[in-house]
Amino acid sequence: MSIEITGVNKRFGDFVALDNVNLSIPTGQLTALLGPSGGGKSTLLRIIAGLENADSGSVVIEGTEATNLPAQKRNVGFVFQHYAAFKHMSVAKNVAFGLEIRKRPKAEVKEKVEELLGLVHLSQFADRLPSQLSGGQRQRMALARALAIEPSVLLLDEPFGALDAKVRKELREWLRRLHDEVHVTTVFVTHDQEEALEVADEIVVINEGRIEQIGSPDTLYDAPSNDFVMSFLGPTTQLNGALVRPHDIEVFAHPVENGIPARIARELRVGFDVRLWVELLDAAHEEIQVTVTRATQRSLALAEGNDVWLVPTSA
Ligand SMILES: Nc1ncnc2c1ncn2[C@@H]1O[C@H](COP(=O)(O)OP(=O)(O)OP(=O)(O)O)[C@@H](O)[C@H]1O
């Protein structure tokens, strides 16, 4: 195990930010800490980094007891949402910084910086100033800088949080590929479930200072251990008293065995999907959401006012 967190508690005054957190993070894995704002993700990351002290409990990094080690002795690299670059230094100098203060030989620094800039696809920007980069390029520079010291652990706190949706998406795909190349143990804080599902090997869902569930993206999505995890990992709707995903409901245009009768009240096309609001034709006349593909909508000629029959497809 790369990071072992045992019995970590943290309060801010009366407020319990972390409540007896136990977590093992395997070496070489990309782990997402996912949860709603204020749930304690950043606090946990900062405790791993050594930027914050736990009130009790321990942190072991690569077999070394790190609980009382200062941040600079933990061999961790970090990147935050708003990255503080050295504004007057070139991109290459920013990346070299950690190596230069460690007094590495000049030739080694030069070689390493070139390699890192290649890795983050910024070779042609080596001589620019950080202000001459886009937001996404700046965060890639931040990653190169964090990786320069060859950290045993890379800690990322909402690294793409300040970027627009399109750049975020590009960078998360890029981060996944980068991780597949360098395999450095990485812990990534996000409140964006799609980001976690797309990027992480394993997701730790944190809410109100506690771990709700740990598992692979598929496990969390398909077998959430409670309603909180289920709702947090994607849209849900209530059907027959159970939470189901809107696209895990099959829609028929004719009566079927165990089909729940309903009527389409509204529909909205969102890209490939069509969202249907359907009114259940039982005593309560509850309205629920069902998502079908555009192809299904077309082949069944689903339209507002039509009667349909619903069958939940998930277990
Ligand atoms: N230095 C501090 N002093 C007082 N309260 C704090 C401090 N740092 C964090 N908190 C509180 O602890 C709770 C957890 O904060 P934390 O930043 O870990 O949450 P988070 O899950 O990372 O949320 P976000 O995504 O909004 O950053 C919050 O309610 C926050 O207000």
Side-chain angles (χ1 to χ4, degrees):
M1 284 295 158
S2 181
I3 308 173
E4 287 281 356
I5 295 158
T6 314
V8 161
N9 288 286
K10 178 70 180 177
R11 280 169 180 266
F12 295 107
D14 285 345
F15 181 81
V16 179
L18 293 174
D19 185 5
N20 189 27
V21 169
N22 295 287
L23 178 62
S24 297
I25 295 175
T27 302
Q29 193 171 275
L30 206 166
T31 302
L33 304 182
L34 173 71
S37 183
K41 310 176 295 290
S42 296
T43 303
L44 183 58
L45 198 80
R46 292 171 62 79
I47 286 172
I48 299 171
L51 299 171
E52 194 89 67
N53 286 317
D55 299 335
S56 57
S58 74
V59 178
V60 174
I61 300 176
E62 294 288 356
T64 303
E65 171 59 55
T67 316
N68 298 310
L69 276 185
Q72 63 274 22
K73 296 242 167 93
R74 294 190 183 198
N75 197 29
V76 296
F78 22 79
V79 176
F80 302 104
Q81 182 170 340
H82 295 286
Y83 170 59
F86 297 114
K87 292 192 175 71
H88 58 286
M89 286 186 193
S90 69
V91 169
K93 281 278 177 198
N94 265 279
V95 175
F97 183 78
L99 298 169
E100 282 175 350
I101 59 170
R102 282 171 177 77
K103 307 229 180 311
R104 298 281 172 80
K106 271 207 165 63
E108 184 194 318
V109 173
K110 187 166 178 287
E111 193 182 328
K112 186 83 196 164
V113 169
E114 275 170 14
E115 179 197 325
L116 285 162
L117 288 177
L119 197 64
V120 300
H121 303 140
L122 288 178
S123 301
Q124 72 271 40
F125 300 125
D127 299 323
R128 286 204 189 172
L129 291 174
S131 60
Q132 296 168 319
L133 297 180
S134 72
Q137 289 165 345
R138 257 203 299 276
Q139 290 308 82
R140 277 162 30 207
M141 175 181 84
L143 271 157
R145 190 169 97 161
L147 287 169
I149 59 160
E150 293 180 7
S152 51
V153 175
L154 184 61
L155 305 174
L156 312 175
D157 194 348
E158 303 257 6
F160 312 138
L163 306 171
D164 71 49
K166 185 164 174 285
V167 178
R168 271 184 90 119
K169 217 163 158 34
E170 280 167 17
L171 280 192
R172 69 168 88 125
E173 283 163 19
W174 170 84
L175 175 67
R176 184 63 244 183
R177 284 200 303 273
L178 176 78
H179 186 265
D180 291 341
E181 274 178 57
V182 297
H183 295 292
V184 56
T185 307
T186 303
V187 187
F188 180 94
V189 164
T190 181
H191 63 266
D192 180 337
Q193 39 90 10
E194 201 182 300
E195 191 158 280
L197 288 171
E198 209 175 298
V199 163
D201 296 309
E202 190 163 72
I203 300 175
V204 180
V205 181
I206 299 184
N207 181 38
E208 296 184 344
R210 290 173 158 273
I211 294 178
E212 296 275 355
Q213 191 174 0
I214 304 173
S216 69
D218 286 354
T219 303
L220 259 65
Y221 198 80
D222 296 337
S225 63
N226 57 44
D227 284 356
F228 175 83
V229 176
M230 172 120 183
S231 310
F232 202 75
L233 267 279
T236 55
T237 199
Q238 286 270 355
L239 184 60
N240 285 351
L243 271 187
V244 291
R245 302 225 181 266
H247 50 254
D248 284 340
I249 299 172
E250 196 168 353
V251 177
F252 295 88
H254 54 83
V256 288
E257 198 183 342
N258 297 326
I260 301 162
R263 183 164 298 147
I264 300 174
R266 271 183 306 139
E267 58 176 35
L268 174 70
R269 187 178 162 198
V270 188
F272 271 135
D273 287 340
V274 179
R275 267 182 225 158
L276 306 174
W277 282 264
V278 301
E279 183 190 335
L280 301 183
L281 299 179
D282 56 6
H285 284 270
E286 215 183 325
E287 199 174 275
I288 71 160
Q289 247 198 70
V290 181
T291 305
V292 296
T293 62
R294 187 109 171 96
T296 301
Q297 185 214 18
R298 280 212 198 100
S299 68
L300 298 182
L302 300 175
E304 284 175 13
N306 286 8
D307 283 351
V308 288
W309 286 262
L310 309 176
V311 179
T313 54
S314 54

